[in-house]
């Protein structure tokens, strides 16, 4: 009898223990639940205003502290448009320049941010997004943005950058202005280029310059590599000690080749392989290039590649835990004529259509530091794509393009971009700069108020959208700037 009672008590005790453990697990499992693999896509035909790209996965929290280094002539204006729209819809606070750039081409300074208060100047307003043109300067960026922000940027094949920059910045670069044509410039660049010449940062290694990396003339003033600052979770920065045992792996710039697509994938493979010329190491040592790439990897969470723009957007959305609609937008700041059509963007032209292989080789050799960046980040993007899954990526890209096409048909007169001469609405007419016109958009008539608001967001050029955000954040400030098409904001460029 006693044995039976003891056994009964034991069973009850065991049951109570198991129930307690189960309840505790249900209570505590939330904070430790891992984000499930993959990217959640809202319903393809749901308006962004109805479902603003929010994920249904409870453990996945959208990242809203962002630092985007807006590089020149790399498709960055199209990314900026997405950030403008996302921040506007979610009422996020932008770190805005007083005008349209942060003192470029000078290195970024926190004091150039409108509303920024230096230490001791009172409560510092919280900024969510820093995304306008600058020459990157990490210590000053960290005065404005928290170190756990998501840092990202975009690169483009320097051969494509060269032709776009030559057309766009010919009037402000002394080297470009002196050259009768891009072909003549690339055939003998040193006949026109003088290091330190007015506006000549546009004429060589423009991406390297935008990333804030030292140029050869700056390196000669240094006896060794500069001490690289590194993001930390604290308010300060950590400096790699000199003589550190850190040794970055050496990238192979002679093998720029995207991995072959999965047999079932619709993602197209393009071979951008092109060996560097011996001049690549004439001015900067290969060890310094390795150091610079390793530092960029430690600073930037993701670098997009313009030639694979849609694939890059899907991977960006996945990294940020955003929905598909959050990365669906229209191309901005595209030049009007003379080049091939961009895949998936009706009427919009790509400025990178150099067909002469010799010109391509010369452009890459002349912009050797940019080529090293492009090789490196091309590989890192496709390493990330492989981890994401090539079939899944192709499927997501197809959905993104279908969504973009549907929005273009719903919003745009003619379904695509038009010449600026056809745009009567100054709020939708892009700032015109350079030898060619910059395309823009005309909205269809008879849109519903809801569609009108969403379509205006998609079609508004970057300068007008910046003014809109400025007025929203600083409603009492006196607006001293006139319309951007009447006041020259200085060279910009996507």
């Amino acid at each position: 009898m006693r044995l039976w009672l003891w056994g009964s008590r034991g069973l009850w005790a065991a049951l109570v223990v198991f129930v307690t453990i189960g309840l505790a697990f249900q209570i505590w499992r939330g904070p430790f639940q891992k984000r499930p693999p993959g990217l959640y896509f809202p319903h393809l035909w749901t308006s962004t205003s109805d479902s603003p790209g929010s994920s249904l996965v409870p453990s996945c929290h959208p990242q809203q502290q962002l630092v985007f280094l807006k590089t020149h002539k790399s498709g960055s204006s199209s990314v900026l448009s997405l950030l403008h729209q996302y921040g506007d819809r979610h009422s996020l606070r932008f770190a805005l320049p007083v005008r349209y750039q942060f003192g470029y081409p000078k290195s970024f300074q926190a004091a150039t941010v409108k509303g920024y208060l230096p230490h001791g100047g009172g409560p510092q307003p919280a900024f969510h997004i820093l995304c306008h043109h600058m020459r990157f300067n990490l210590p000053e960026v960290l005065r404005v943005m928290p170190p756990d922000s998501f840092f990202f940027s975009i690169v483009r094949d320097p051969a494509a950058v060269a032709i776009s920059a030559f057309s766009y910045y010919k009037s402000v670069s002394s080297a470009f202005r002196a050259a009768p044509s891009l072909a003549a410039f690339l055939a003998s660049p040193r006949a026109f280029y003088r290091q330190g010449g007015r506006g000549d940062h546009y004429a060589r290694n423009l991406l390297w310059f935008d990333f804030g990396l030292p140029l050869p003339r700056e390196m000669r003033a240094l006896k060794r590599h500069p001490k690289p600052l590194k993001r930390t979770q604290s308010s300060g920065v950590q400096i790699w000690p000199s003589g550190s045992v850190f040794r970055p792996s050496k990238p192979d710039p002679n093998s720029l080749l995207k991995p072959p697509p999965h047999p079932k994938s619709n993602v197209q493979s393009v071979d951008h392989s092109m060996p560097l010329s011996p001049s690549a190491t004439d001015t900067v040592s290969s060890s310094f290039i390795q150091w610079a790439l390793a530092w960029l990897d430690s600073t930037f969470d993701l670098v997009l590649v313009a030639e694979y723009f849609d694939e890059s957007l899907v991977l960006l959305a996945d990294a940020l835990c955003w929905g598909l609609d959050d990365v669906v937008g229209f191309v901005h700041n595209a030049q009007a004529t003379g080049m091939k059509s961009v895949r998936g963007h009706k009427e919009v032209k790509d400025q990178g259509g150099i067909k002469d292989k010799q010109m391509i080789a010369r452009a890459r050799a002349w912009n050797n530091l940019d080529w090293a960046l492009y090789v490196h980040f091309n590989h890192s993007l496709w390493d990330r794509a492989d981890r994401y899954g090539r079939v899944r990526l192709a499927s997501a890209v197809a959905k993104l393009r279908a969504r973009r096409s549907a929005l273009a048909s719903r919003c745009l007169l003619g379904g695509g971009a038009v010449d600026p001469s056809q745009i009567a609405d100054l709020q939708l007419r892009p700032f015109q700069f350079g030898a060619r016109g910059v395309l823009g958009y005309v909205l269809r008539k008879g849109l519903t108020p809801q569609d009108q608001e969403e379509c205006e967001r998609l079609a508004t050029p970057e300068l007008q959208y910046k003014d809109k955000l400025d007025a929203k954040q600083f409603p009492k400030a006196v607006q001293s700037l006139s319309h951007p098409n009447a006041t020259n904001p200085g060279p910009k460029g996507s």
Side-chain angles (χ1 to χ4, degrees), residues 299-338:
T299 302
F300 287 87
D301 299 288
L302 176 63
V303 176
L304 316 180
V305 176
E307 281 74 14
Y308 307 107
F309 190 71
D310 291 342
E311 292 85 352
S312 294
L313 291 182
V314 170
L315 297 175
L316 175 66
D318 181 61
L320 296 178
C321 190
W322 286 9
L324 178 63
D325 277 354
D326 295 320
V327 294
V328 174
F330 300 151
V331 169
H332 284 268
N333 209 41
Q335 296 185 49
T337 58

Side-chain angles (χ1 to χ4, degrees), residues 33 38 69 112 137 145 159 176 180 208 220 248 250 262 301 420:
Q33 185 176 2
L69 175 60
T112 60
N137 182 4
M145 300 297 295
F176 286 162
W208 186 275
R220 283 194 290 270
K250 183 176 181 180
H262 190 282
D301 299 288

Side-chain angles (χ1 to χ4, degrees), residues 159-388:
V161 173
I163 190 170
S164 182
F166 186 85
S167 169
Y168 201 84
Y169 298 116
K170 189 173 176 61
S171 64
V172 296
S173 166
S174 60
F176 286 162
R177 193 166 56 247
S181 65
L182 178 61
F185 177 81
L186 292 176
S188 184
R190 295 192 187 280
F192 309 102
Y193 176 84
R194 296 292 180 269
Q195 199 168 65
R198 182 180 180 275
D200 281 355
H201 59 284
Y202 294 118
R204 189 177 194 192
N205 293 316
L206 179 55
L207 297 177
W208 186 275
F209 182 87
D210 285 352
F211 274 101
L213 297 169
L215 296 170
R217 69 176 184 274
E218 297 167 331
M219 285 300 299
R220 283 194 290 270
L222 302 171
K223 295 182 179 179
R224 59 181 177 180
H225 297 169
K227 293 180 179 180
L229 295 168
K230 188 175 182 179
R231 289 162 51 195
T232 66
Q233 295 301 314
S234 64
S235 59
V237 293
Q238 175 184 336
I239 297 179
W240 291 345
S242 59
S244 169
V245 296
F246 175 80
R247 293 290 183 272
S249 59
K250 183 176 181 180
D252 180 8
N254 297 318
S255 60
L256 178 59
L257 177 63
K258 191 187 82 173
H262 190 282
K264 296 181 181 180
S265 171
N266 292 324
V267 179
Q268 298 298 311
S269 175
V270 179
D271 181 1
H272 289 282
S273 59
M274 182 69 67
L276 284 173
S277 106
S279 65
T281 56
D282 285 351
T283 56
V284 178
S285 68
S286 60
S287 64
F288 176 72
I289 293 177
Q290 293 172 44
W291 170 88
L293 296 175
W295 178 76
L296 291 175
D297 281 340
S298 73
T299 302
F300 287 87
D301 299 288
L302 176 63
V303 176
L304 316 180
V305 176
E307 281 74 14
Y308 307 107
F309 190 71
D310 291 342
E311 292 85 352
S312 294
L313 291 182
V314 170
L315 297 175
L316 175 66
D318 181 61
L320 296 178
C321 190
W322 286 9
L324 178 63
D325 277 354
D326 295 320
V327 294
V328 174
F330 300 151
V331 169
H332 284 268
N333 209 41
Q335 296 185 49
T337 58
M339 298 302 158
K340 63 181 180 180
S341 297
V342 174
R343 179 183 59 191
H345 304 284
K346 184 179 179 181
E347 301 292 334
V348 175
K349 308 297 181 182
D350 177 28
Q351 305 95 327
I354 304 179
K355 296 180 180 180
D356 188 325
K357 291 185 178 180
Q358 186 179 48
M359 282 184 64
I360 292 174
R362 285 173 173 174
R364 290 172 174 173
W366 174 244
N367 297 283
N368 56 295
L369 300 179
D370 281 4
W371 178 241
L373 291 179
Y374 184 74
V375 170
H376 180 76
F377 289 122
N378 180 84
H379 280 300
S380 67
L381 181 80
W382 290 102
D383 285 345
R384 183 183 287 261
D386 286 336
R387 294 193 298 272
Y388 181 85

Side-chain angles (χ1 to χ4, degrees), residues 28-47:
W28 289 102
R29 69 189 291 260
F32 298 106
Q33 185 176 2
K34 293 183 179 180
R35 177 186 178 187
L39 172 65
Y40 167 73
F41 294 113
H43 191 278
L44 185 59
W45 305 112
T46 301
S47 171

Side-chain angles (χ1 to χ4, degrees), residues 386-408:
D386 286 336
R387 294 193 298 272
Y388 181 85
R390 300 292 291 277
V391 173
R392 291 174 56 228
L393 180 60
S395 175
V397 166
K399 291 178 181 178
L400 184 149
R401 291 174 180 165
R403 176 62 173 151
R404 179 190 293 133
S405 178
L407 286 172

Side-chain angles (χ1 to χ4, degrees), residues 6 38 52 57 60 68 79 89 120 168 231 233 237 264 396 399 414 428 445 473 481:
W6 173 250
V57 184
C60 180
F68 174 58
V79 180
R89 285 196 306 269
Y168 201 84
R231 289 162 51 195
Q233 295 301 314
V237 293
K264 296 181 181 180
K399 291 178 181 178
L428 296 181
K445 303 294 184 182
Q473 287 185 199
L481 294 176

